[in-house]
Amino acid sequence: MAEELLEIRPHELKFIFELRKQSSCSIQLRNKTDQYVAFKVKTTSPKKYCVRPNIGIIKPNGASDFTVTMQAQMVAPPVLQCRDKFLIQGTVIPFGTSEEDVTADMLQFDKDSGKYIEERKLKVVLTSPVESPSLLPVNGERKQDSFFETIVPKDVSSAGVENASPPLRDPEGLDMSEDFKELRSKLSLVDSKLKEAELTISRLTEERSSQNQERDALKRELEMLRKTGGRAIQVGFPFLYVCAVALVALAIGYLVHP
């Protein structure tokens, strides 16, 4: 079959590459024939990409889009080179086939079945958020590409065609700047509390030192009072004794010599 079934735009998948962030691009398929055409999308790195939908049917002279999402990557490839490829397969299915009549056999794309299978390859191009550097060629012989279907959760549309569900958000893809700001705010709060605790400890230490000084002063005063009171008793006792003796002597003398 010489007639081309599908027109593909654009002819490459271009992703804006940023570490820990997902990136998506869309491809449009247009049916160039007056027949019903089924398509399937495969990739050499099924765990790295999510295709929605990865399989479908295009009516005569109609068009269909599919979106490819590259999962968040932790490491950037050298000079943004990427060897991943995508394979788009197309085949004619019976004219007038309704969406309810679609079977799994129609979408197997098995060349051994004798059906004509059109295959088109798309390469992956990575660009940086700013002006992308030129991509350098890779030395060495390239190995033959092996394409696989994308392994993602699927749901069935009203057309009876399985659609790939959108990928879950990678927790590693979150904006680290917000986490850094929150962490810095918590550290600042802890630092202020530590300074407040240090001031409280210093104040308590000063108060305790002052109390100790007052207690020592009171001890010294009490000791001085004790010493002063003892001397007064020792000095005053003989004087009182002498007075008492003198009075007794006067009384006796008065009685003896009235």
Side-chain angles (χ1 to χ4, degrees):
M1 189 177 201
E3 184 180 10
E4 188 177 75
L5 302 180
L6 298 172
E7 179 182 356
I8 304 173
R9 295 181 181 176
H11 297 293
E12 61 185 14
L13 290 97
K14 184 176 292 186
F15 298 96
I16 298 176
F17 185 88
E18 294 183 79
L19 287 176
R20 300 181 180 86
K21 288 187 178 182
Q22 295 180 347
S23 181
S24 299
C25 66
S26 296
I27 298 293
Q28 183 185 72
L29 304 178
R30 189 174 69 85
N31 185 354
K32 299 177 65 175
T33 72
D34 55 0
Q35 303 181 69
Y36 281 71
V37 174
F39 73 89
K40 177 181 285 188
V41 183
K42 296 182 179 181
T43 178
T44 55
S45 301
K47 294 182 179 181
K48 186 176 178 180
Y49 301 94
C50 173
V51 182
R52 180 182 178 89
N54 67 329
I55 197 167
I57 296 175
I58 309 176
K59 294 182 179 180
N61 300 309
S64 177
D65 295 348
F66 66 86
T67 300
V68 180
T69 300
M70 182 176 65
Q71 305 297 328
Q73 302 296 305
M74 300 299 105
V75 179
V79 292
L80 294 183
Q81 291 179 340
C82 183
R83 295 187 177 184
D84 299 335
K85 283 185 171 56
F86 281 76
L87 178 69
I88 300 176
Q89 296 177 310
T91 187
V92 175
I93 59 176
F95 187 87
T97 301
S98 64
E99 296 173 347
E100 291 78 10
D101 294 335
V102 174
T103 63
D105 293 337
M106 292 182 182
L107 305 178
Q108 286 300 318
F109 296 90
D110 186 3
K111 292 183 179 181
D112 295 336
S113 63
K115 296 189 300 183
Y116 170 73
I117 306 296
E118 180 181 82
E119 294 185 339
R120 308 278 292 279
K121 293 181 181 180
L122 303 181
K123 67 178 183 178
V124 174
V125 176
L126 303 179
T127 61
S128 59
V130 295
E131 185 178 357
S132 176
S134 300
L135 299 181
L136 302 177
V138 179
N139 295 328
E141 184 179 355
R142 297 293 298 276
K143 296 187 297 183
Q144 184 176 359
D145 298 322
S146 299
F147 294 90
F148 306 91
E149 296 183 37
T150 53
I151 303 174
V152 293
K154 299 179 180 179
D155 59 326
V156 180
S157 66
S158 58
V161 179
E162 291 182 342
N163 293 329
S165 300
L168 297 176
R169 181 175 177 82
D170 189 347
E172 295 295 337
L174 296 177
D175 190 355
M176 300 303 292
S177 62
E178 295 297 329
D179 294 340
F180 178 74
K181 289 179 181 179
E182 183 179 357
L183 179 60
R184 185 169 59 182
S185 176
K186 291 181 179 180
L187 288 176
S188 178
L189 179 61
V190 171
D191 185 60
S192 64
K193 289 184 176 181
L194 286 175
K195 289 182 179 179
E196 183 179 353
E198 288 177 357
L199 291 174
T200 302
I201 292 173
S202 177
R203 179 174 54 82
L204 292 175
T205 302
E206 291 178 358
E207 291 180 357
R208 182 176 181 181
S209 177
S210 177
Q211 290 176 357
N212 290 336
Q213 292 176 0
E214 292 179 358
R215 183 181 61 184
D216 293 340
L218 289 174
K219 284 183 177 180
R220 287 193 297 269
E221 291 180 3
L222 181 59
E223 189 68 24
M224 291 178 64
L225 288 174
R226 287 178 178 176
K227 292 179 179 180
T228 304
R231 287 197 302 270
I233 292 173
Q234 291 175 0
V235 173
F237 177 77
F239 177 76
L240 292 176
Y241 179 77
V242 170
C243 291
V245 170
L247 289 174
V248 171
L250 289 173
I252 293 173
Y254 180 77
L255 292 174
V256 173
H257 303 285

